[in-house]
């Protein structure tokens, strides 16, 4: 019958990966926009919604990545190609690309834990780690963003900005005006805010406020003649969201939470120190790699890369170090 012939017929490529892409595209497209906005136009409201929905997106991704039905379909497709005439299967560019797409997807699903028994303690723990990764990654980015916004250095001495391009001076002068407006808003001083909003910005006379936003930071490091100012800006950039800045940021966050807002968090917050986040990520990576049968995370990472093994990467790194370190030392000596 037609039904029996249909059930016994081999599965086709178009029935698997193209169909999968159609299912995944709407969520992936919407979430990519949300992720971009969260990075470039971050607000408290957007951050709250992003963090609330991120676990759902991660869980949806894991369902696809750990789907036994999908994995079996792709495996069946690859097997049918392997048993077919090899020359016919690879005779065209399209056929070769399809084979590669299937192979890469199977490998990706293996690294996403499709081989772990459904409902097993190993799968449960693996999925917990994936969710925690997403949470830590978002917290890491938010901490860097918050630390970048929090830093500001006001310069008032014209000699400190001598020979700095006018475009940079104008940017810093406008940044100082915006800082005064924000400061007045924080204090709830409407009169001061109105005065700041209407103040005339003078790029030549200042004051100038340097921030850690890309254009401002780069201009300061390239053109600022005062070495001490450059040092403060540079150290501010290097220590963002670290143990050197986390205490103050956490104190401010706690003060904000204590303004009568209801706290819904049941677990301890991750904190503003990204060093601790990095340490937790490293521990979780090792545990996750072990669940998939790897000795370490480096092996797991290389499973989808061109380098054959960890030793090869180490040898290349040592080779680069051998050649690059003397040159770096010479440049440092010349600069200091």
């Amino acid at each position: 019958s037609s039904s029996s012939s249909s059930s016994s017929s081999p599965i086709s490529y178009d029935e698997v990966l193209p169909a999968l892409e159609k299912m995944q595209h709407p969520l992936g497209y919407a979430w990519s926009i949300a992720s971009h906005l969260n990075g470039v136009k971050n607000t408290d409201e957007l951050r709250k919604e992003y963090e609330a929905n991120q676990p759902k997106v991660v869980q949806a991704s894991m369902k696809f990545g750990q789907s036994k039905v999908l994995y079996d379909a792709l495996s069946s497709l690859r097997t049918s190609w392997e048993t077919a005439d090899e020359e016919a299967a690879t005779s065209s560019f399209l056929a070769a690309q399809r084979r590669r797409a299937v192979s890469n997807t199977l490998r990706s699903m293996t690294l996403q834990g499709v081989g772990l028994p459904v409902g097993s303690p190993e799968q449960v723990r693996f999925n917990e780690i994936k969710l925690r990764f997403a949470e830590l990654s978002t917290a890491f980015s938010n901490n860097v963003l918050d630390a970048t916004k929090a830093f500001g250095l006001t310069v008032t001495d014209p000699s400190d900005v001598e020979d700095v391009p006018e475009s940079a001076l104008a940017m810093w002068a406008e940044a100082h005006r915006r800082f005064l407006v924000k400061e007045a808003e924080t204090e709830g001083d409407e009169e001061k805010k109105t005065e700041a909003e209407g103040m005339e910005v003078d790029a030549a006379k200042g004051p100038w406020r340097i921030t850690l936003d890309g254009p401002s930071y780069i201009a300061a490091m390239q053109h600022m003649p005062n070495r001490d100012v450059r040092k403060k800006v540079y150290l501010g950039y290097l220590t963002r969201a670290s143990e050197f800045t986390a205490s103050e940021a956490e104190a401010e966050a706690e003060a904000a939470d204590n303004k009568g807002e209801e706290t819904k968090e049941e677990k301890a917050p991750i904190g503003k120190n990204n060093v601790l986040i990095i340490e937790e990520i490293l521990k979780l990576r090792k545990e996750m790699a072990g669940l998939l049968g790897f000795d370490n995370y480096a092996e797991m990472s290389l499973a989808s890369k061109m380098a054959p093994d960890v030793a090869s990467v180490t040898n290349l790194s040592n080779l680069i170090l051998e050649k690059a370190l003397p040159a770096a030392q010479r440049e440092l000596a010349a600069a200091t």
Side-chain angles (χ1 to χ4, degrees):
S1 65
S2 59
S3 60
S4 61
S5 62
S6 174
S7 61
S8 61
S9 61
I11 193 168
S12 69
Y13 174 85
D14 289 336
E15 292 177 295
V16 189
L17 283 188
L20 176 64
E21 185 174 350
K22 290 179 181 179
M23 287 188 286
Q24 292 179 321
H25 176 74
L27 177 59
Y29 179 76
W31 192 244
S32 67
I33 295 176
S35 299
H36 180 69
L37 287 175
N38 192 52
V40 302
K41 195 66 175 177
N42 191 281
T43 63
D44 292 340
E45 294 79 10
L46 177 57
R47 181 180 294 191
K48 179 180 178 181
E49 293 303 321
Y50 185 88
E51 293 175 355
N53 286 279
Q54 185 181 50
K56 302 174 186 177
V57 176
V58 174
Q59 288 168 344
S61 176
M62 288 191 298
K63 285 184 178 180
F64 282 109
Q66 296 177 355
S67 170
K68 302 289 187 182
V69 174
L70 176 59
Y71 187 85
D72 290 343
L74 290 170
S75 297
S76 175
L77 185 58
R78 183 171 63 177
T79 300
S80 67
W81 284 341
E82 290 173 348
T83 56
D85 180 62
E86 181 69 19
E87 182 178 353
T90 58
S91 59
S92 71
F93 175 80
L94 177 60
Q97 294 306 303
R98 285 180 170 180
R99 290 170 69 91
R100 179 172 175 79
V102 169
S103 177
N104 287 348
T105 303
L106 286 169
R107 181 182 62 196
S108 175
M109 294 183 71
T110 299
L111 296 177
Q112 292 182 65
V114 70
L116 299 174
V118 177
S120 65
E122 292 79 10
Q123 187 193 54
V124 171
R125 179 56 183 159
F126 183 90
N127 291 344
E128 288 175 350
I129 292 175
K130 294 287 285 186
L131 286 170
R132 183 61 174 172
F133 274 154
E135 185 180 13
L136 292 172
S137 176
T138 299
F140 187 99
S141 299
N142 287 341
N143 288 347
V144 173
L145 183 61
D146 291 342
T148 300
K149 290 180 178 179
F151 180 91
L153 180 63
T154 299
V155 177
T156 58
D157 188 345
S159 64
D160 288 339
V161 295
E162 187 175 356
D163 296 328
V164 171
E166 184 178 349
S167 59
L169 294 177
M171 172 176 60
W172 294 337
E174 173 60 22
H176 177 69
R177 187 193 68 82
R178 292 199 304 269
F179 167 71
L180 294 179
V181 172
K182 184 177 180 180
E183 186 179 49
E185 288 179 344
T186 303
E187 296 173 356
D189 191 331
E190 288 298 326
E191 182 178 350
K192 185 177 178 181
K193 177 183 176 183
T194 302
E195 180 181 349
E197 289 175 336
M199 71 177 291
E200 183 178 348
V201 175
D202 192 331
K205 296 182 179 180
W208 307 272
R209 188 166 181 83
I210 304 170
T211 69
L212 297 182
D213 291 323
S216 179
Y217 172 77
I218 293 173
M221 298 308 297
Q222 289 182 338
H223 304 295
M224 182 66 67
N226 188 312
R227 181 185 179 91
D228 291 335
V229 172
R230 291 200 312 273
K231 180 180 179 179
K232 290 178 182 177
V233 175
Y234 180 65
L235 291 178
Y237 188 85
L238 285 185
T239 58
R240 290 177 301 167
S242 68
E243 65 269 32
F244 299 104
T245 60
S247 297
E248 183 178 348
E250 288 172 354
E252 293 177 358
E254 183 178 355
D257 290 339
N258 291 334
K259 287 184 177 180
E261 297 181 2
E262 183 179 351
T263 302
K264 296 182 179 179
E265 295 284 347
E266 295 182 356
K267 56 184 177 181
I270 292 177
K272 300 293 184 180
N273 185 357
N274 277 355
V275 174
L276 300 179
I277 293 179
I278 292 172
E279 291 174 352
E280 183 176 353
I281 288 175
L282 292 175
K283 292 177 181 178
L284 292 176
R285 280 181 170 183
K286 180 175 177 57
E287 182 182 357
M288 182 175 68
L291 290 171
L292 295 181
F294 295 96
D295 289 336
N296 50 64
Y297 184 79
E299 287 186 359
M300 177 180 171
S301 177
L302 291 179
S304 57
K305 295 181 173 66
M306 292 180 64
D309 50 47
V310 177
S312 299
V313 177
T314 302
N315 292 337
L316 178 60
S317 298
N318 290 336
L319 176 63
I320 294 174
L321 176 64
E322 179 184 340
K323 303 297 183 182
L325 183 59
Q329 290 172 334
R330 288 194 300 269
E331 292 179 359
L332 178 61
T336 56

